[in-house]
Amino acid sequence: MQVLTPQQFADRLMTTSYPDGETRTMRPGSSGITVNLTDLTGQEKGLARAALAEIASVTGLRFADTTGSAQIEYSNDGKGAQTQTSGEGNTINWADVRIASDRVAPGDGYGSFAFRTYMHETLHALGLGHPQDYGTVRAFSQSSVANDSWQISLMSYFDQTENTWVDADKAYHLTPMMADHLALRQMYDAPAMRLGNTTYGVGSTAGGALDRAAPLGQSEQRVTFLVADHGGVDHVNFAGFTAAQRINLAAGAISDVMGALGNMQIATGTVIEHATGGAGADTLVGNGAANRLAGGNGADRLYGRAGADALQGGDGRDTLAGEDGNDRLFGGRGDDRLLGGAGNDSLFESAGANLLDGGAGNDSLSGGAGADQMLGGAGRDTLTGGLGADRISGGDGNDWLRGGAGADTLIANTGADVLDGGAGNDLLRGGAGRDRFVFTSGADRVQWFDPATDVIDLRGLAGLDSWDDVRARLTLSGDDVVFRLGDHTLTIEDQDRGALDATNVLW
């Protein structure tokens, strides 16, 4: 079996309705394309009008009700569902859409098989065909197209579980899908759609059937839909759902939302900036825009991709990866992993025992109340431990390491680094390059001090006016030199008191 691209699938839909392989469309009059619904029940009229509204949003077409002769006439006669058309040249002049009343059950509305049927037959009226000859291909095992399913097209006969190639749950349509969208927009030269700031999912402002997506999902009814948008700053919001969700904002990507697999797709040419997950263990993946990804509760995994992104982990044991761009990562509560990646990133934590790794670039890392491990990586980084017994390593570059409260470990690595333990009894370890060790309080220890390049910064202490004031407070303890001022001590390991002079101390 072959796997068709969405465009190849669309090409089939545009050319299989007629034996000559030509594409035919219906031309609107001054008031739009006329439709006659008088033969339908009230419920059926509602389904037809809702289907027409979804198709109008994709194509830009207008549809006008009439009780007389119409370009599309609907009836509920006969059995099953079928559409006949007639026309001249490449123009469809008239279409007869027949959907038997027994196809509509009491209560059927958005997200039902009946709604899908009304959209399917209306698309036939407008010129779309099937992707294969279903007169001969009666089961998916006979299919020559691996991805022939409801997931990519309303015009497919195979639902998502009948097609064993796709990874998706059976779900009914709220909108035309990717291949339908491509075909309709080319056939009807459709204008741009949804140019303002739009929310999809919870709190939807998209209009039509998409406004019903979250309520249907909350009632555990599985629906599938396409997000197509051509402007504004947009947001897919699936907060409140407890099932694990996977939301991918890349154009063409397929996501798992509201407890179903493979049920949301982003149209080609669509840029969605923001995404919000729910209470489950969600995976959110950004795109090249400046994304805001919010994981919510649960052990979430957030990937910014390119762009200056803001990633919010929320509660739970989260992994946040900024990747490319100047990103901001907020871990929230829980034992998190924050990975800045390339770019000048800012990493923030509030609670938990976390790993913060700035990666390449000039990064700023701020720990929280727990025992954090902080790695600056390449670049000129600033690392601040906050509360807790932190382990802070600058990495390559000229870094600023701040321990904050707690018994911290600061490791300089290469570069001209500043190590400031802050409050608490800290361990400050130098590295290659000219390092500055800042001491203000507590019982700190300095390792790997090089008298030829490094300095001790005591400028935060009162009562030191000269080198003599400093030297008078230096004593030898075994192999170490100890500076003592009141209850505060700084131990400089493996040093000779006589090897230290005024060039090694700032006061």
Side-chain angles (χ1 to χ4, degrees):
M1 288 191 291
Q2 65 181 131
V3 179
L4 299 180
T5 67
Q7 185 57 59
Q8 288 172 331
F9 209 108
D11 290 342
R12 289 199 176 198
L13 300 183
M14 290 189 287
T15 56
T16 57
S17 276
Y18 305 98
D20 59 8
E22 291 292 322
T23 298
R24 289 172 170 79
T25 59
M26 186 171 284
R27 296 179 183 177
S30 58
S31 61
I33 292 175
T34 55
V35 298
N36 187 322
L37 310 175
T38 55
D39 191 54
L40 304 182
T41 67
Q43 182 186 9
E44 292 163 354
K45 288 177 181 177
L47 289 166
R49 290 190 176 113
L52 289 165
E54 293 309 310
I55 295 167
S57 71
V58 175
T59 60
L61 293 170
R62 290 182 300 134
F63 296 97
D65 275 13
T66 180
T67 57
S69 176
Q71 291 170 277
I72 306 177
E73 296 187 0
Y74 291 83
S75 67
N76 55 17
D77 301 332
K79 296 181 180 180
Q82 56 274 327
T83 297
Q84 293 181 331
T85 63
S86 65
E88 184 177 356
N90 290 330
T91 300
I92 302 170
N93 294 326
W94 173 81
D96 178 25
V97 175
R98 294 177 180 268
I99 300 172
S101 288
D102 60 9
R103 286 292 185 104
V104 180
D108 278 353
Y110 288 107
S112 66
F113 181 72
F115 179 57
R116 179 196 183 278
T117 302
Y118 268 90
M119 285 195 291
H120 179 103
E121 297 302 330
T122 302
L123 292 184
H124 276 320
L126 293 174
L128 264 63
H130 297 134
Q132 300 188 75
D133 179 4
Y134 292 130
T136 57
V137 179
R138 296 183 176 275
F140 181 69
S141 59
Q142 300 172 306
S143 175
S144 63
V145 179
N147 55 335
D148 183 357
S149 84
W150 289 6
Q151 186 182 64
I152 193 172
S153 176
L154 268 166
M155 309 313 290
S156 173
Y157 271 18
F158 302 123
D159 69 40
Q160 299 93 328
T161 54
E162 289 172 331
N163 180 314
T164 55
W165 185 86
V166 302
D167 186 15
D169 291 327
K170 182 176 179 178
Y172 290 123
H173 298 90
L174 291 178
T175 67
M177 301 306 287
M178 175 70 85
D180 314 318
H181 176 85
L182 289 171
L184 289 169
R185 294 188 64 79
Q186 292 170 58
M187 291 166 67
Y188 287 95
D189 193 22
M193 57 190 296
R194 300 192 183 100
L195 296 177
N197 301 340
T198 307
T199 297
Y200 300 87
V202 177
S204 174
T205 60
L210 289 172
D211 287 353
R212 275 72 173 181
L216 289 169
Q218 288 160 351
S219 66
E220 299 185 355
Q221 183 172 345
R222 289 178 172 171
V223 293
T224 185
F225 55 93
L226 180 75
V227 173
D229 191 293
H230 296 131
V233 178
D234 307 304
H235 181 195
V236 291
N237 180 10
F238 295 101
F241 291 92
T242 58
Q245 302 180 96
R246 189 179 194 283
I247 302 172
N248 189 335
L249 297 184
I254 297 172
S255 299
D256 311 329
V257 297
M258 305 185 301
L261 295 177
N263 62 325
M264 181 183 81
Q265 188 165 23
I266 306 292
T268 56
T270 290
V271 178
I272 303 296
E273 287 78 8
H274 307 320
T276 298
D282 301 320
T283 299
L284 277 61
V285 182
N287 52 35
N291 303 128
R292 185 181 71 243
L293 308 178
N297 297 336
D300 304 313
R301 303 177 70 88
L302 279 59
Y303 303 92
R305 298 295 192 246
D309 306 310
L311 278 59
Q312 301 171 325
D315 292 351
R317 188 167 188 164
D318 306 313
T319 297
L320 281 62
E323 300 182 307
D324 294 339
N326 301 332
D327 306 309
R328 294 180 297 142
L329 280 61
F330 303 87
R333 292 184 292 183
D335 300 339
D336 305 316
R337 297 176 69 240
L338 276 60
L339 312 174
N344 302 329
D345 306 311
S346 299
L347 282 60
F348 303 91
E349 269 297 351
S350 58
N354 309 292
L355 168 66
L356 291 78
D357 185 345
N362 302 329
D363 306 311
S364 173
L365 281 64
S366 299
D372 301 318
Q373 181 178 356
M374 306 172 70
L375 309 172
R380 187 182 183 95
D381 306 312
T382 300
L383 291 77
T384 304
L387 302 175
D390 305 312
R391 183 176 179 86
I392 303 175
S393 176
D396 299 333
N398 302 330
D399 305 314
W400 194 303
L401 284 61
R402 297 187 178 97
D408 305 312
T409 299
L410 280 62
I411 302 173
N413 218 317
T414 60
D417 303 315
V418 178
L419 292 79
D420 182 352
N425 302 331
D426 307 307
L427 174 63
L428 284 62
R429 180 179 297 165
R434 182 176 175 83
D435 299 320
R436 176 160 60 94
F437 301 87
V438 179
F439 176 66
T440 56
S441 65
D444 293 349
R445 300 183 69 87
V446 173
Q447 293 180 338
W448 300 358
F449 182 84
D450 185 351
T453 57
D454 299 334
V455 295
I456 302 295
D457 189 340
L458 304 176
R459 289 177 294 184
L461 298 172
L464 302 176
D465 299 319
S466 66
W467 166 242
D468 289 339
D469 291 337
V470 175
R471 183 170 55 185
R473 291 169 171 80
L474 296 177
T475 60
L476 190 64
S477 176
D479 293 332
D480 306 326
V481 172
V482 179
F483 170 83
R484 188 181 305 276
L485 180 62
D487 294 332
H488 307 297
T489 61
L490 175 67
T491 300
I492 308 170
E493 295 185 1
D494 300 320
Q495 294 299 318
D496 185 343
R497 182 173 181 272
L500 300 178
D501 58 31
T503 62
N504 299 123
V505 183
L506 301 174
W507 63 86

